[in-house]
Amino acid sequence: MQPSLEQLAITYKNLPADKLIRLAVTDAAGLRPEALELLKAEIKGRGLDDGILRGIDVQLNHVDDSQLNNYLALVRNQACPTCGDQSQQLNAVLSTTVISAIIFTHYKKAFSIGCPTCLKKANQKATLKTALLGWWGLPWGLMRTPQALISNTKTNKRINTGEPTPILVDFIKNNIGIIESIKNNDQSLQVMLTNLNNKQHYNKYHIIKHGANRHPIPSR
């Protein structure tokens, strides 16, 4: 049973600002029209940034290739969140790490966004760690380690092409509302990119849609 409009109005009124904004810029497309209007009214009533309202609207409309390319350019032309370099366009990759210790195997895909130089370093670090520590679990270490090494080799090739990677394109598509809401604020964009690297995993509420497997895999 759906909550009444009165209940929704009370819920939105009592939400802390950060949770209200997150709802607006990530989940607006899943709200019914009446709820959207209440959400917009609450945002306006609190005097929050107009970018949040744009972030709602962009989720409700089709984003064509031209608009998508504009968002890609916006993100790719930011300073690298790791080294601060602005001379290279940013990209995003997933680097896979496997660590084993006889009775367990830990398999992790870490998200990184940054300049090609920093992405290569992150990918090389994951590759080296996997090559040294990935093999020592049975049977999963022997299975996962070559998979990770092959995956990281492909990742390195994507970095070298200079083209936006599929994971970066997914990042834009899945988080269009967030990006639209802060597109005029370089400082907020930098905070977003830095937080992405600090979390190093990806899911809907941390900018990227799909979740990574960070759980140990038993070796039996």
Side-chain angles (χ1 to χ4, degrees), residues 133-173:
L133 303 175
W135 304 97
W136 310 110
L138 296 174
W140 293 105
L142 296 175
M143 296 172 62
R144 290 295 197 179
T145 297
Q147 291 174 352
L149 294 176
I150 292 171
S151 176
N152 288 346
T153 298
K154 292 179 179 178
T155 293
N156 201 57
K157 291 179 179 178
R158 290 192 182 103
I159 297 171
N160 288 333
T161 67
E163 295 297 318
T165 59
I167 194 67
L168 179 62
V169 176
D170 284 346
F171 160 76
I172 299 296
K173 289 180 177 178

Side-chain angles (χ1 to χ4, degrees), residues 37-216:
E37 292 307 313
L38 288 174
L39 180 60
K40 288 182 177 181
E42 181 63 28
I43 290 168
K44 292 177 182 178
R46 296 195 194 188
L48 299 176
D49 193 283
D50 287 344
I52 301 167
L53 298 176
R54 297 197 313 270
I56 293 175
D57 291 338
V58 75
Q59 295 173 73
L60 308 178
N61 300 312
H62 172 71
V63 176
D64 60 29
D65 289 342
S66 176
Q67 291 172 303
L68 179 61
N69 287 334
N70 287 338
Y71 287 116
L72 277 166
L74 173 68
V75 171
R76 298 196 75 194
N77 289 324
Q78 296 299 309
C80 176
T82 300
C83 70
D85 179 40
Q86 290 185 290
S87 66
Q88 304 177 81
Q89 284 195 315
L90 303 188
N91 221 329
V93 298
L94 292 176
S95 297
T96 307
T97 304
V98 178
I99 299 175
S100 298
I102 304 175
I103 63 172
F104 77 92
T105 293
H106 187 79
Y107 178 84
K108 180 181 73 172
K109 287 188 175 182
F111 176 85
S112 298
I113 188 165
C115 68
T117 300
C118 289
L119 292 183
K120 289 177 183 177
K121 288 180 180 178
N123 196 54
Q124 288 168 357
K125 181 178 179 181
T127 300
L128 180 60
K129 186 178 291 187
T130 297
L132 292 175
L133 303 175
W135 304 97
W136 310 110
L138 296 174
W140 293 105
L142 296 175
M143 296 172 62
R144 290 295 197 179
T145 297
Q147 291 174 352
L149 294 176
I150 292 171
S151 176
N152 288 346
T153 298
K154 292 179 179 178
T155 293
N156 201 57
K157 291 179 179 178
R158 290 192 182 103
I159 297 171
N160 288 333
T161 67
E163 295 297 318
T165 59
I167 194 67
L168 179 62
V169 176
D170 284 346
F171 160 76
I172 299 296
K173 289 180 177 178
N174 293 326
N175 299 277
I176 209 83
I178 297 173
I179 298 169
E180 174 63 35
S181 70
I182 60 175
K183 70 178 184 180
N184 295 325
N185 188 326
D186 285 345
Q187 182 177 359
S188 293
L189 285 167
Q190 282 295 308
V191 169
M192 178 188 71
L193 298 178
T194 300
N195 286 343
L196 277 170
N197 285 343
N198 288 341
K199 289 182 173 66
Q200 288 205 331
H201 64 288
Y202 58 112
N203 58 47
K204 187 175 183 181
Y205 296 111
H206 293 158
I207 310 302
I208 298 299
K209 185 175 182 181
H210 306 289
N213 178 4
R214 294 173 62 88
H215 303 291

